[in-house]
Amino acid sequence: MGQPVEDTALDILFREARTYTKWQPRPVTDETLRNLYDLLKWAPTSANAAPARFAFLRSKEAKERLRPALAPLNVAKTMTAPVTVIIAYDVKFYEQLPKLFPQNPGMLKLFQGSPEMVETTAKRNSSLQGAYLIIAARALGLDCGPMSGFDHAKIDEEFFAAGKPCFGCDQEFFPEGHVRTNFLCNLGYGDPGALRPRLPRLTFTEACSLL
Ligand SMILES: Cc1cc2nc3c(=O)[nH]c(=O)nc-3n(C[C@H](O)[C@H](O)[C@H](O)COP(=O)(O)O)c2cc1C
């Protein structure tokens, strides 16, 4: 604590990490996926609410269920990736607050009364958890290919019962499926031969102000 990590770790996590679209024929084990979750779960979230839910699609059958929802340019890279994660969020995340944030019982009521606050909180924090997933994956030697080119409604219907009566969903705001897709991320061991040159980034002065 209080010390930067080694420069090689910064290379792995940031400077040399790329977005991959082609994959080596090397599988990702379930143990690696469990290790991935055991790192990313430490991501900070508002009220420790951890609204993200992760569906790891590994089988051909699961990938075929995803295929119709993908933008055409994302089909090949996704169907060939060893794993595709749906990073989703649960709009009933507040039901876990008595366990996750026991010091403030009032929080549960606050969320129960405000679907707008629920949506904003769930989106913001599941995006952060998704970013932690990318960093944790890189720390474990995996490569990532995040994607937002897909049909949300199709994925929510296929994987999260959107539009269908949902057992236990008796909340007035969310009568149907209560888990919604945020973004997708392919995971595997990338093929560096297929990478294009790195795109530029904004400089400190373009993106930041010191006040
Ligand atoms: C939330 C998100 C959505 C993205 N959506 C797509 C996508 O639908 N298809 C795609 O090919 N790349 C997608 N990308 C990849 C970006 O274009 C890529 O990360 C960016 O150009 C940086 O590339 P680099 O990591 O190799 O430097 C997405 C990235 C993020 C983080």
Side-chain angles (χ1 to χ4, degrees), residues 96-119:
Q96 300 290 335
L97 287 177
K99 171 176 151 185
L100 297 176
F101 205 61
Q103 70 271 40
N104 188 346
M107 276 294 201
L108 173 61
K109 280 230 150 47
L110 196 68
F111 283 114
Q112 271 174 332
S114 175
E116 212 171 273
M117 194 171 144
V118 163
E119 181 71 23

Side-chain angles (χ1 to χ4, degrees), residues 8-210:
T8 47
L10 297 176
D11 285 341
I12 291 166
L13 297 177
F14 298 102
R15 298 185 195 114
E16 287 173 13
R18 296 294 311 274
T19 295
Y20 281 81
T21 57
K22 296 242 164 66
W23 309 96
Q24 299 171 39
R26 180 178 165 192
V28 176
T29 64
D30 287 2
E31 191 192 358
T32 300
L33 297 178
R34 286 177 186 280
N35 293 340
L36 175 64
Y37 181 73
D38 278 340
L39 289 175
L40 81 89
K41 72 182 179 187
W42 300 116
T45 52
S46 349
N48 197 35
R53 302 291 178 263
F54 305 91
F56 293 99
L57 313 186
R58 307 155 307 153
S59 66
K60 191 161 174 10
E61 185 202 6
K63 291 288 198 72
E64 286 302 331
R65 289 172 61 197
L66 184 65
R67 185 195 284 268
L70 296 170
L73 278 175
N74 287 334
V75 171
K77 59 188 80 152
T78 303
M79 299 311 284
T80 52
V83 179
T84 303
V85 197
I86 306 174
I87 294 112
Y89 55 94
D90 188 347
V91 287
K92 297 209 316 173
F93 68 83
Y94 50 79
E95 290 184 346
Q96 300 290 335
L97 287 177
K99 171 176 151 185
L100 297 176
F101 205 61
Q103 70 271 40
N104 188 346
M107 276 294 201
L108 173 61
K109 280 230 150 47
L110 196 68
F111 283 114
Q112 271 174 332
S114 175
E116 212 171 273
M117 194 171 144
V118 163
E119 181 71 23
T120 307
T121 303
K123 266 252 179 74
R124 175 181 297 128
N125 289 282
S126 64
S127 299
L128 282 171
Q129 290 178 277
Y132 270 84
L133 176 139
I134 292 171
I135 302 294
R138 290 170 173 175
L140 291 174
L142 291 165
D143 294 302
C144 300
M147 291 172 294
S148 52
F150 60 87
D151 183 325
H152 284 73
K154 278 190 185 158
I155 296 187
D156 291 352
E157 190 182 338
E158 180 62 33
F159 290 93
F160 304 124
K164 292 177 194 144
C166 174
F167 178 73
C169 297
D170 48 5
Q171 283 285 322
E172 57 184 301
F173 314 130
F174 313 118
E176 296 162 346
H178 50 91
V179 176
R180 297 176 188 163
T181 307
N182 186 334
F183 71 100
L184 305 177
C185 188
N186 290 327
L187 292 176
Y189 300 93
D191 173 1
L195 287 173
R196 297 217 180 110
R198 184 77 130 166
L199 292 170
R201 299 299 199 258
L202 298 179
T203 62
F204 184 88
T205 43
E206 286 171 312
C208 310
S209 46
L210 291 170

